């Protein structure tokens, strides 16, 4: 599947899984049709590393800064100040990933909510989009979002088609990963079908969630080709058309200037 202009709206090349061979990975991505990616922060240290990669690979990596709901449990008193400083950087395209995750009991719900609200308020102050992580917490997530004006993308969407429709109505973009290729992906595919092309983003969440036929391997941004193929059929377009639309949506949402 030779696609071009792939832009990964949510990646983690700031993860230690890429420490040993990132230069080779970036070269491979360029050769396989990937033109850029957003490195997403999930705590203070990972957000700082994402900025470093942005500096190391200008024009290929952009970044976001945020504290993931799981990481809120171990966040130090000054970590929000770090996120605030990074978010003021023009190269930082979003605040995130932030949100709520009740799948595992790794952080008290009240603490997750407090960090979520604080970072939503920061994004609003800076007029930057947000990258939302939500798992097994749809009601509380929507309740909190209803009290804020910040908008952006709900990444790695795993909710229902009805929830996707409501989020789109409220002005949100929806991000889809390689999970759409899994055998149990029927609900997510139904959601992807109802999300308008102009609100759909493609992502990997790499190094996690590699799509079939690469499931179980380290995920990289070129594997978006399989995600695009799975969704394109639902939309009645080619995988390349979907990649092009998703790239345009990503660049517009995050205010990224690209030569592609």
């Amino acid at each position: 599947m030779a696609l071009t202009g792939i832009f990964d709206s949510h990646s983690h090349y700031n993860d230690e899984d890429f420490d040993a061979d990132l230069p080779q990975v970036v070269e491979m991505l360029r050769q396989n049709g990937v033109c850029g990616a957003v490195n997403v922060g999930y705590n203070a240290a990972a957000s700082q590393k994402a900025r470093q990669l942005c500096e190391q690979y200008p024009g290929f990596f952009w970044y976001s800064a945020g504290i993931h709901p799981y990481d809120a449990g171990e966040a130090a008193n000054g970590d929000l100040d770090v996120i605030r400083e990074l978010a003021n950087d023009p190269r930082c395209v979003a605040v995130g990933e932030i949100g709520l995750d009740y799948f595992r009991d790794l952080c008290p719900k009240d603490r997750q909510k407090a960090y979520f609200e604080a970072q939503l308020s920061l994004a609003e102050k800076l007029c930057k989009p947000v990258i939302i992580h939500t798992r097994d917490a749809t009601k509380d997530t929507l309740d909190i979002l209803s009290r804020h004006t910040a908008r952006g993308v709900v990444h790695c969407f795993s909710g229902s088609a009805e929830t996707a429709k409501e989020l789109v109505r409220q002005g949100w973009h929806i991000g889809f990963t390689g999970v759409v290729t899994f055998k149990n992906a029927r609900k997510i595919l139904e959601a992807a079908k109802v999300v308008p092309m102009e609100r759909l983003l493609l992502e990997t969440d790499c190094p996690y969630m590699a799509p079939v036929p690469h499931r179980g391997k380290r995920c990289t941004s070129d594997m978006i080709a399989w995600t695009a193929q799975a969704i394109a059929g639902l939309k009645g377009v080619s995988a390349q058309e979907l990649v092009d639309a998703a790239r345009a949506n990503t660049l517009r949402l995050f205010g990224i200037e690209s030569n592609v």
Side-chain angles (χ1 to χ4, degrees), residues 157 159-169 172 174 176 186-200 231 234-235:
F157 189 76
S160 67
E162 291 71 23
T163 300
K165 286 180 182 178
E166 178 58 22
L167 287 166
V168 168
R169 187 190 69 78
W172 290 91
I174 309 294
F176 294 96
R186 183 180 59 82
K187 183 176 78 168
I188 303 174
L189 287 170
E190 289 175 354
K193 188 173 183 178
V194 303
V195 173
M197 286 275 283
E198 64 270 18
R199 295 292 188 84
L200 189 149
I231 297 175
L234 302 174
K235 300 291 190 183

Side-chain angles (χ1 to χ4, degrees), residues 93-249:
V93 299
V95 175
E97 58 187 291
I98 62 176
L100 303 175
D101 193 320
Y102 299 164
F103 181 68
R104 294 189 179 94
D105 188 21
L106 296 181
C107 178
K109 293 180 180 180
D110 287 348
R111 186 172 176 87
Q112 289 191 39
K113 291 176 181 178
Y115 272 80
F116 189 18
E117 297 244 28
Q119 293 177 99
L120 284 169
S121 296
L122 172 63
E124 289 164 350
K125 181 179 179 181
L126 297 177
C127 298
K128 289 202 170 181
V130 292
I131 299 171
I132 301 298
H133 172 106
T134 180
R135 190 176 187 189
D136 291 356
T138 299
K139 183 182 184 303
D140 284 356
T141 299
L142 293 177
D143 286 347
I144 289 175
L145 292 177
S146 71
R147 300 197 292 269
H148 290 267
T149 58
R151 290 293 181 268
V153 56
V154 178
H155 106 94
C156 192
F157 189 76
S158 60
S160 67
E162 291 71 23
T163 300
K165 286 180 182 178
E166 178 58 22
L167 287 166
V168 168
R169 187 190 69 78
Q170 293 178 15
W172 290 91
H173 290 69
I174 309 294
F176 294 96
T177 67
V179 173
V180 300
T181 67
F182 295 179
K183 288 182 178 180
N184 60 349
R186 183 180 59 82
K187 183 176 78 168
I188 303 174
L189 287 170
E190 289 175 354
K193 188 173 183 178
V194 303
V195 173
M197 286 275 283
E198 64 270 18
R199 295 292 188 84
L200 189 149
L201 304 188
L202 295 175
E203 58 172 282
T204 55
D205 206 16
C206 69
Y208 314 107
M209 292 188 290
V212 175
H214 302 287
R215 192 171 183 183
K217 300 178 182 178
R218 183 179 68 170
C219 187
T220 50
S221 298
D222 54 314
M223 294 181 188
I224 277 179
W226 300 97
T227 303
Q229 185 180 52
I231 297 175
L234 302 174
K235 300 291 190 183
V237 298
S238 69
Q240 184 64 62
E241 287 174 306
L242 187 67
V243 162
D244 292 342
R247 182 184 66 253
N249 297 340

Side-chain angles (χ1 to χ4, degrees), residues 15 60 245:
D15 189 278
F60 188 81

